Amino acid sequence: MPTADTSPTASAGPGLLDALSLLSQVADELVVRTVRDTHEAWLDRVQSLSGRSRETATLSERVHRGVAGAVYGGLGRGLRLASEGLDKVADTGIGPRLEADPRGRFVNSAVNGLIGDRLVKERPQLAIPMGVRVDGRDVPPEPEALAAAFPAAGDRLVVFLHGLCENESYWNRGRDRLGTTYGEMLAAEGWTPVFLRANTGLGLRENGVALTALLQDLVDAWPQEVRRIALVGHSMGGLIMRAAGAVATAVEKSWTELVSDVVTLGSPHLGAPIARGVGEGSRGLGRLPETAAFGRILDWRSLGVHDLVAGLAEDVPPLPHAQYRLVAATVTSSPRNPVGHVVGDLLVRVESARGRDRRGADLFPDAEFLHVGRTDHFGLLNHPEVHAALRRWLT
């Protein structure tokens, strides 16, 4: 089975200098401007409390404001010049590639999750394309490339898609402790695991369109005729898979006709409290001039994070012929524990992962549900109870 952690030296893709240029831009637009705007807002507040405005400020206040403005302006210009210079050097291809090692891929995936929609428009060289991944590299969905990357390709595919800010190597979490992964275990049962990577900063529906196109190309170019597909998505990955299914069902002879099972691990079908809290925090901070700049930092969050506020409701129905398995976790042994009920797996609550709200509405009325206790959101990426359930469900 192909693994997701071993990687050759990359010769293409974004480089370290691209990342440093982005860092300079972010430092200017967020850090320097946030400090500047907050500083000025507090100066205005102090002056107003003293009965003065900018026009009637004392000499010392004007000097203070002028010196501060010059310092912030100089820092901003320096960072912008640094970003422009780094971009010019990066265009020559000099420097290490981010995709050359796991740490670089971790940074690239995290940045794409946070601002991936902006990267597509402003820095496309840093934007991650939806793709099949083997040994830390993209595999084109073409017959020769797939045959070389999957020499033991079978007719049953289990497709894995990660969550927000993650990449395909997250499915190896805890392998040193458990001695295996979901992909390795299912490969021993006759399945061919296929790991995908996505730009999780894009909106759910945009990623759904990209995923359905990729899966159709994958099925059409696969070395064997595909008889069965199982989808396994962690967190946001489960929502993207649902969105892809909704897009593809309108197409004749779609890959969705081969999907027998959909497994979501901690997916916020009804939204995630942490994403909702970020939005509310942004609006709250924006109400005061002294904190408005910090609200803009939260507003930098991507469309992908925005979409996690509400999840995907009944307007994205399940595939009618597929069996859905929904897995939720809590940090407590029982989901009825008050702490576990409130915090869930620290990111997603049980009712959201199950798709059943307090009013009794159920997105997946025929689904099988599994609760995993005493673990967190990322523990679902490789957990003994999920191993046993996957073996039972898929064999």
Side-chain angles (χ1 to χ4, degrees):
M1 154 195 164
T3 60
D5 265 344
T6 307
S7 64
T9 301
S11 59
L16 178 60
L17 295 180
D18 292 301
L20 292 176
S21 174
L22 175 63
L23 180 61
S24 298
Q25 178 189 349
V26 171
D28 173 38
E29 295 186 15
L30 286 188
V31 180
V32 174
R33 295 187 187 185
T34 296
V35 174
R36 179 200 65 193
D37 293 349
T38 303
H39 189 178
E40 291 184 352
W42 278 108
L43 287 177
D44 291 339
R45 175 73 70 181
V46 171
Q47 287 180 355
S48 66
L49 290 175
S50 302
R52 296 187 298 275
S53 65
R54 291 196 181 192
E55 291 74 19
T56 61
T58 65
L59 177 60
S60 63
E61 289 171 340
R62 292 181 181 179
V63 170
H64 182 171
R65 194 183 293 272
V67 171
V71 171
Y72 295 133
L75 287 172
R77 283 191 295 274
L79 288 168
R80 288 192 293 276
L81 288 172
S83 179
E84 293 171 3
L86 288 167
D87 280 337
K88 292 179 180 178
V89 178
D91 288 342
T92 66
I94 295 175
R97 305 291 94 188
L98 285 179
E99 294 293 310
D101 63 74
R103 290 175 298 179
R105 293 196 294 275
F106 167 82
V107 171
N108 203 22
S109 298
V111 171
N112 271 259
L114 295 173
I115 56 171
D117 51 339
R118 292 188 59 158
L119 293 180
V120 170
K121 299 174 183 177
E122 301 173 10
R123 293 177 176 268
Q125 73 276 18
L126 281 168
I128 292 173
M130 177 82 71
V132 176
R133 301 283 290 180
V134 173
D135 295 340
R137 59 184 175 85
D138 287 324
V139 177
E142 301 167 357
E144 291 186 5
L146 291 172
F150 297 89
D155 57 6
R156 290 184 296 159
L157 309 184
V158 54
V159 180
F160 292 89
L161 183 58
H162 57 77
L164 178 70
C165 293
E166 300 172 10
N167 59 49
E168 74 281 1
S169 67
Y170 275 66
W171 295 104
N172 290 332
R173 187 181 188 273
R175 188 185 185 284
D176 55 344
R177 177 172 48 85
L178 296 179
T180 189
T181 65
Y182 300 149
E184 291 172 352
M185 179 271 293
L186 289 172
E189 300 288 344
W191 290 83
T192 301
V194 178
F195 294 92
L196 307 182
R197 187 175 68 162
N199 176 351
T200 53
L202 298 178
L204 292 175
R205 286 165 176 79
E206 185 174 356
N207 262 328
V209 171
L211 178 57
T212 198
L214 175 63
L215 289 179
Q216 191 62 57
D217 290 343
L218 182 72
V219 169
D220 291 342
W222 194 249
Q224 291 198 42
E225 182 179 356
V226 179
R227 291 192 304 107
R228 183 179 176 188
I229 297 175
L231 304 177
V232 181
H234 177 243
S235 194
M236 179 187 280
L239 301 185
I240 295 173
M241 286 176 163
R242 285 181 57 203
V247 172
T249 49
V251 181
E252 290 187 18
K253 296 182 179 180
S254 165
W255 58 270
T256 57
E257 297 176 7
L258 302 171
V259 176
S260 60
D261 304 86
V262 179
V263 181
T264 65
L265 307 174
S267 293
H269 298 291
L270 301 179
I274 189 170
R276 191 175 301 113
V278 170
E280 293 173 353
S282 172
R283 290 189 293 273
L285 291 170
R287 292 172 183 170
L288 293 175
E290 294 85 355
T291 58
F294 293 100
R296 287 202 298 272
I297 292 178
L298 297 182
D299 277 335
W300 257 59
R301 67 195 187 279
S302 64
L303 282 174
V305 177
H306 273 284
D307 282 354
L308 288 183
V309 173
L312 288 178
E314 58 275 1
D315 62 326
V316 182
L319 298 175
H321 55 278
Q323 179 64 50
Y324 281 73
R325 275 80 181 218
L326 314 171
V327 182
T330 57
V331 294
T332 56
S333 298
S334 170
R336 296 184 178 86
N337 183 293
V339 174
H341 176 74
V342 172
V343 305
D345 62 12
L346 299 180
L347 292 179
V348 178
R349 292 175 177 169
V350 171
E351 59 265 26
S352 184
R354 191 170 188 174
R356 180 182 297 175
D357 63 24
R358 297 176 181 177
R359 299 186 300 274
D362 196 344
L363 297 179
F364 312 97
D366 300 320
E368 184 172 345
F369 174 69
L370 171 67
H371 167 256
V372 180
R374 301 185 67 83
T375 193
D376 60 18
H377 191 66
F378 298 100
L380 291 175
L381 285 161
N382 195 8
H383 194 282
E385 291 186 42
V386 180
H387 271 277
L390 286 173
R391 184 178 287 108
R392 182 175 72 254
W393 292 333
L394 300 185
T395 62

